[in-house]
Amino acid sequence: MSTDPKPQLHPRTRAVHAGTRRSQYGEMAEALFMTQGFAYDTAEQAEARFINVGPDEFIYARYGNPTSRMFEDRIASLEGTEDAFATASGMAAVNGALMSMVKPGDHIVSSSALFGSCLYVLDLLAKFGVEISYVDGTDLDQWKAAIRPGTKAVFFESMSNPTLQIVDIAGVAKLAHAVGALVVADNVFATPTFSNAAEQGADVIIYSTTKHIDGAGRALGGVICGTRDFVRNVAEPYLKHTGAAISPFNAWLMLNGLTTMDLRVRAMADSALQVATALESLPQISKVIYPGLASHPQHTLAARQMGTGGTMIAADTGSKDAAFRAMNRLEVAKISNNLGDAKTIVTHPTTTTHQRLSEEARLALGITPGLLRISVGLEHPEDLIADLRQALAG
Ligand SMILES: *Cc1c(COP(=O)(O)O)cnc(C)c1O
């Protein structure tokens, strides 16, 4: 049976208890139901379940599984949406949410500052006859000009990768809702803790749970949060028939990840502000991009929308050589391309995550050859600052 705490309890309390389902054994820790199928008492019961699945009934893990459902219920509670569907990766969630809602001839308006794989999905939709208009996500006038009667959906990363541009969710939602378009937010960088996306007007909120929700860089996962009608009647049929389901084991990791996420991301964001402040005073860094700093052009919007600058920083070292030299001298932070991990990760977007883009496209997005992306982890901030300082001084 599912045991949901009262919705008025604080998110930290719901992160510990929401969505828990206990078997007849009353186990304290959430059980890992590592099963694809479910046995029926009778043939009649199987027949009945295929006609109508009850809230505590399951048919096949591609459709749903008790451990996956615990994770879905917990994140929906935290996000403030009616329901959620967990997927094998963040990209399965992006693809599933967008693909399931459109047909040829539909129109989507999207921010152009997107993760490469998200751009790939939009190109795929265009190939099947969906019209895509790209805008500068930070410019409400461009959204206004592009959104038109009949626009099906708007799509954006609420904080963009890697240059940390913030999209005004409430502002875009107002324009989109005026024509009946759905607001789809890839909210990975904001994390469910700092999200408020549903409150601001987002209809569909997507996470790569691979990032802060797992929080230890162990497993891939994704999730689509939204109304029960969207999640179960629009997204789920597409996801379950095309095989996007999360593994129950990964859902179990994510479920446990949510329990500590609030504490982790708050500590990471506190450290990120300290690291960003320290970087701003270093002569080797020409520019620090961190929404928590007054120097960020959307500092006020970030504070209003998320109440924090988040856990990610971008810093310009001036050149690829300087960036590589600093990365190769790091002793605590690791060179990798994940984010939201307990371990601080430094990435060089130009040569890795955004290598596929042309130089011109990269520069248009602010991805300069010397830019480093820093995902601040759970180490002591003084150790991180000392590490970056010595690496950059070299
Ligand atoms: C990582 C990421 C994704 C994709 O998630 P996967 O779990 O790697 O499939 C999508 N959007 C953003 C903003 C991301 O950072």
Side-chain angles (χ1 to χ4, degrees), residues 282 326 329-332 384-394:
L282 292 184
R329 286 176 55 88
L330 289 168
E331 288 168 1
V332 177
L384 293 176
I385 291 166
D387 191 31
L388 288 163
R389 207 185 283 277
Q390 67 78 23
L392 287 158

Side-chain angles (χ1 to χ4, degrees), residues 79-237:
E79 198 58 37
T81 56
E82 288 174 1
D83 214 336
F85 192 99
T87 56
S89 69
M91 286 322 304
V94 171
N95 178 63
L98 293 175
M99 195 66 93
S100 66
M101 70 168 71
V102 292
K103 58 181 187 322
D106 279 348
H107 178 230
I108 290 180
V109 182
S110 173
S111 161
S112 56
L114 293 180
F115 182 61
S117 301
C118 293
L119 285 170
Y120 183 89
V121 168
L122 291 174
D123 284 347
L124 196 63
L125 293 178
K127 217 168 80 178
F128 286 98
V130 176
E131 188 192 344
I132 318 280
S133 306
Y134 289 99
V135 297
D136 173 347
T138 63
D139 184 348
L140 279 178
D141 289 336
Q142 288 196 25
W143 285 105
K144 191 170 180 185
I147 294 168
R148 61 187 193 222
T151 296
K152 182 75 192 180
V154 299
F155 178 65
F156 52 80
E157 290 173 15
S158 58
M159 195 200 287
S160 73
N161 176 19
T163 50
L164 312 180
Q165 295 178 358
I166 316 276
V167 171
D168 179 346
I169 300 175
V172 174
K174 202 168 153 208
L175 297 168
H177 290 160
V179 300
L182 285 171
V183 176
V184 185
D186 177 333
N187 219 20
V188 171
F189 279 40
T191 83
T193 293
F194 304 128
S195 166
N196 308 314
E199 236 168 80
Q200 310 271 338
D203 301 297
V204 179
I205 302 152
I206 295 165
Y207 289 102
S208 161
T209 70
T210 314
K211 315 291 169 55
H212 303 83
I213 294 174
D214 175 28
R218 297 167 298 189
L220 285 171
V223 71
I224 300 171
C225 304
T227 62
R228 182 145 303 129
D229 181 50
F230 178 79
V231 170
R232 295 299 159 194
N233 300 331
V234 179
E236 182 188 298

